[in-house]
């Protein structure tokens, strides 16, 4: 850790993510001297390649704007670089390195052949017209395209990058490369996308929670759930909670959260999708529309009467204090939809209290797994049905749950999904790196 912090100063999120993994895998290093001999640890925390570039574009008033673009190609030991793009003003090198690092282990857990990467920009799409977003995406891709390829690096969406942005990015790639190939996932259904990819991350975290509950002969049926965020992941988490007979009572955005004691129904959820994906409004409007409660500048973790929580907005949105509150209120199932939403103190409390805690790199892996299924369909020039993709997603989540469980047990911490996910992901990548020599 000293070497990581000295070599990458000022990247707190990256230090946080690496620290957690290094702690979990220490017993693995003790049992595998060959990993030490090959210095796998120092190699795995160093990105294989970092691309940083200027993204100039012209706004609607004719002013020239400049943003910064990034792609972190972290590790390609088990497959081509794979991971999303994030457009948000908080994006910087350290944030994307943490996300790329997590992605390496997450992708390994899916069992599909995908290495780890992440990219994005400090561009803020909020308040920007479709034309501005298009021009920004075109400028971003004008540099990124030379680094992509369906066997090289395949980005997808993340915060601020959804169907609209993927469309603009794909169009520009196709124009520059003069080639129609699957260099992005999350594509539109008419041009190479997969059914269920939009739903997959949200659906997957609820499937993962259901697997954790099964270990205690329990299920989501009849449970009350707190969900944060109101974007792609949160929306489809709510949809799957409904499908499995649970009740979601909260949603949030960066301005505050809503509480709906009657539960968020399919009809209300359809309204939220329109609000967020089409009108791009604030979640506060939900409270007016459906006579629900709105709490500005707060997160939903103090709400009473719930058994489950699904943080699905952003990193470090759930603190040690929030964790105390959740535990005191009787929440005993948590699956992370976002990447690293619980801070280290919160994670520690969940683990110490032996609740069912599914860390992001396991619980939210359904999104990238279904990206892998989209790549498989593209490679085979075929399309699978909705049910077929959903069934495969379910099986992948069941398998991820099982490998986390087995790794945690094998290394003496049964029920600890944090250790399980880190260890199972790490061993697969470390073995591949060992086989391939010092490259
Ligand atoms: P979206 O852009 O669709 O939605 C993001 C949501 O989180 C919005 O409600 C947004 O509110 C809120 N949010 C974003 N940043 C902040 C912040 N700094 N503080 C408070 N709220 C914030 O993104 P996704 O739903 O795709 O992503 C959500 C999380 O899930 C991220 O951590 C992402 O990395 C993770 N994830 C996404 C996957 C995917 O396939 N999309 C796969 C696996 C993980 P507002 O509108 O106000 O900004
Ligand atoms: O964090 C993630 O796993 C994603 N944003 C999805 C990545 C992908 O390539 O589908």
């Amino acid at each position: 850790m000293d070497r990581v912090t000295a070599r990458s100063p000022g990247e707190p999120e990256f230090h946080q993510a690496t620290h957690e993994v290094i702690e979990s895998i220490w017993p693995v290093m003790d049992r595998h001297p060959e990993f030490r001999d090959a210095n796998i640890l120092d190699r795995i925390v160093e990105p294989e390649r970092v691309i940083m570039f200027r993204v100039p574009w012209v706004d609607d008033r004719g002013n020239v704007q400049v943003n910064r673009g990034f792609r972190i190609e972290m590790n390609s030991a088990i497959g081509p670089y794979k991971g999303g793009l994030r457009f948000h003003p908080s994006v910087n090198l350290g944030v994307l390195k943490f996300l790329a690092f997590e992605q390496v282990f997450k992708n390994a857990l899916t069992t599909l052949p995908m290495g780890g990467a992440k990219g994005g920009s400090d561009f803020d799409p909020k308040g920007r017209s479709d034309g501005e977003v298009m021009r920004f995406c075109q400028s971003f891709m004008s540099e990124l395209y030379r680094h992509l390829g369906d066997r090289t690096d395949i980005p997808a969406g993340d915060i601020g990058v959804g169907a609209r942005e993927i469309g603009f990015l794909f169009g520009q790639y196709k124009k520059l490369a003069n080639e129609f190939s699957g260099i992005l996932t999350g594509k539109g259904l008419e041009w190479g996308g997969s059914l269920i990819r939009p739903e997959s991350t949200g659906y997957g975290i609820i499937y993962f929670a259901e697997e954790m509950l099964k270990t205690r002969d329990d299920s989501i049926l009849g449970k009350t759930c707190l969900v944060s965020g109101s974007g792609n992941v949160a929306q489809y988490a709510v949809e799957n909670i409904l499908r499995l007979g649970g009740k979601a009572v909260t949603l949030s955005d960066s301005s505050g959260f809503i509480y709906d004691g009657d539960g968020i129904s399919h009809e209300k959820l359809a309204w939220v999708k329109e609000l967020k994906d089409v009108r791009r409004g604030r979640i506060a409007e939900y409270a007016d529309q459906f006579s629900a409660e709105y709490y500005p500048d707060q997160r939903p973790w103090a709400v009473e009467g719930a058994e489950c929580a699904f943080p699905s907005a952003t990193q470090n949105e759930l603190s040690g204090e929030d964790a105390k509150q959740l535990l005191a209120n009787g929440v005993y199932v948590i699956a992370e939809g976002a990447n690293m939403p619980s801070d280290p103190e919160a994670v520690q409390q969940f683990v110490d209290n032996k609740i069912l805690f599914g860390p992001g790199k396991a619980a939210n892996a359904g999104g990238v797994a279904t990206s892998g299924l989209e790549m498989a369909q593209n490679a085979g020039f075929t399309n699978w049905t909705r049910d077929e993709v959903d069934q495969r997603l379910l099986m992948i989540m069941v398998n991820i749950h099982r490998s986390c469980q087995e790794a945690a047990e094998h290394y003496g911490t049964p029920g600890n999904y944090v250790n399980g996910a880190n260890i199972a992901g790490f061993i697969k990548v470390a073995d591949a790196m060992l086989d391939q020599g010092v490259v």
Side-chain angles (χ1 to χ4, degrees):
M1 271 316 296
D2 288 345
R3 283 198 294 279
V4 171
T5 38
R7 179 172 270 176
S8 303
E11 298 176 3
E13 293 88 357
F14 181 57
H15 304 160
Q16 185 182 330
T18 45
H19 189 267
E20 184 199 283
V21 170
I22 290 173
E23 269 203 334
S24 286
I25 55 116
W26 213 245
V28 180
M29 300 307 282
D30 287 340
R31 285 195 211 176
H32 290 269
E34 70 276 19
F35 292 163
R36 276 187 202 273
D37 293 344
N39 203 5
I40 296 289
L41 264 192
D42 278 283
R43 288 157 65 195
I44 214 165
V45 296
E46 190 66 16
E48 289 180 11
R49 187 179 295 110
V50 173
I51 302 149
M52 263 174 82
F53 49 100
R54 178 172 68 189
V55 189
W57 56 283
V58 181
D59 69 18
D60 285 347
R61 297 158 73 181
N63 296 322
V64 177
Q65 302 279 349
V66 181
N67 286 97
R68 186 172 286 174
F70 303 86
R71 185 71 177 162
I72 318 295
E73 296 182 336
M74 197 76 195
N75 193 299
S76 61
I78 65 168
Y81 304 112
K82 183 82 194 90
L85 297 172
R86 177 177 291 191
F87 293 167
H88 193 274
S90 64
V91 162
N92 59 41
L93 184 62
V95 166
L96 293 180
K97 276 174 68 182
F98 117 65
L99 288 162
F101 183 73
E102 296 267 304
Q103 199 81 43
V104 173
F105 305 98
K106 184 196 303 193
N107 292 5
L109 286 171
T110 65
T111 72
L112 303 174
M114 298 182 290
K118 202 84 186 190
S121 174
D122 57 1
F123 173 70
D124 187 358
K126 277 200 193 74
R128 292 293 177 188
S129 68
D130 286 352
E132 290 178 315
V133 170
M134 180 180 75
R135 290 193 295 282
F136 172 81
C137 287
Q138 290 173 341
S139 180
F140 183 85
M141 187 53 93
S142 296
E143 171 58 35
L144 189 65
Y145 91 98
R146 69 186 91 250
H147 306 287
L148 305 185
D150 60 4
R151 303 289 161 99
T152 308
D153 186 351
I154 308 95
D158 193 80
I159 292 176
V161 178
R164 173 181 63 169
E165 290 74 18
I166 293 291
F168 293 149
L169 291 164
F170 187 81
Q172 182 73 355
Y173 177 88
K174 186 163 57 70
K175 178 160 180 161
L176 292 171
N178 190 30
E179 181 185 279
F180 194 111
S181 67
I183 47 80
L184 288 165
T185 58
K187 299 185 290 299
L189 285 180
E190 302 81 5
W191 42 279
S194 173
L195 288 160
I196 298 290
R197 176 61 188 90
E199 293 87 340
S200 58
T201 311
Y203 278 16
I205 61 175
I206 305 306
Y207 288 146
F208 192 89
E210 191 77 338
E211 286 308 300
M212 293 198 296
L213 278 157
K214 272 189 199 159
T215 66
R216 299 189 183 175
D217 293 323
D218 203 348
S219 83
I220 293 265
L221 186 68
K223 300 263 183 317
T224 298
C225 307
L226 309 178
V227 178
S228 69
S230 49
N232 173 266
V233 177
Q235 290 170 15
Y236 289 103
V238 171
E239 190 165 295
N240 217 14
I241 290 167
L242 282 167
R243 288 206 308 175
L244 299 186
K247 176 170 149 182
V249 293
T250 65
L251 282 172
S252 73
D253 61 20
S254 53
S255 309
F257 82 91
I258 59 98
Y259 170 74
D260 183 346
D262 295 336
I264 300 162
S265 62
H266 284 291
E267 292 69 31
K268 291 171 178 173
L269 185 59
W271 185 89
V272 171
K273 284 180 190 162
E274 207 263 341
L275 170 76
K276 284 292 170 182
D277 304 352
V278 182
R279 286 198 287 123
R280 299 181 191 274
R282 310 307 299 158
I283 200 65
E285 291 181 43
Y286 181 105
D288 298 333
Q289 180 74 17
F290 300 113
S291 313
E293 295 165 31
Y294 177 63
Y295 297 87
D297 301 321
Q298 289 185 50
R299 289 163 176 160
W301 313 130
V303 169
E304 293 176 8
E307 295 88 7
C308 313
F310 301 107
S312 305
T314 193
Q315 64 270 11
N316 293 326
E317 57 164 317
L318 200 164
S319 67
E321 282 304 307
D322 296 326
K324 253 185 226 148
Q325 185 79 63
L326 283 165
L327 292 166
N329 288 348
V331 170
Y332 66 94
V333 184
I334 297 180
E336 295 184 326
N339 289 304
M340 210 169 74
S342 311
D343 79 7
E345 292 75 36
V347 174
Q348 194 61 50
Q349 295 195 48
F350 297 147
V351 170
D352 288 349
N353 281 276
K354 299 197 182 319
I355 64 161
L356 297 170
F357 174 66
K361 58 173 84 69
N364 73 35
V368 73
T370 308
S371 280
L373 301 179
E374 181 172 329
M375 289 160 65
Q377 292 169 80
N378 291 168
F381 290 94
T382 188
N383 292 304
W384 299 333
T385 64
R386 210 183 144 78
D387 275 354
E388 177 156 10
V389 183
D390 199 17
Q391 276 310 306
R392 285 181 190 249
L393 168 64
L394 173 61
M395 286 322 299
I396 288 170
M397 297 315 295
V398 169
N399 287 332
I400 293 174
H401 176 268
R402 190 184 310 128
S403 26
C404 294
Q405 228 185 354
E406 286 173 359
E409 254 169 49
H410 192 65
Y411 281 89
T413 53
N416 183 334
Y417 292 94
V418 176
N419 282 345
N422 288 334
I423 291 171
F426 174 79
I427 290 179
K428 183 170 178 192
V429 177
D431 277 339
M433 289 173 73
L434 211 56
D435 288 345
Q436 292 169 24
V438 180
V439 288

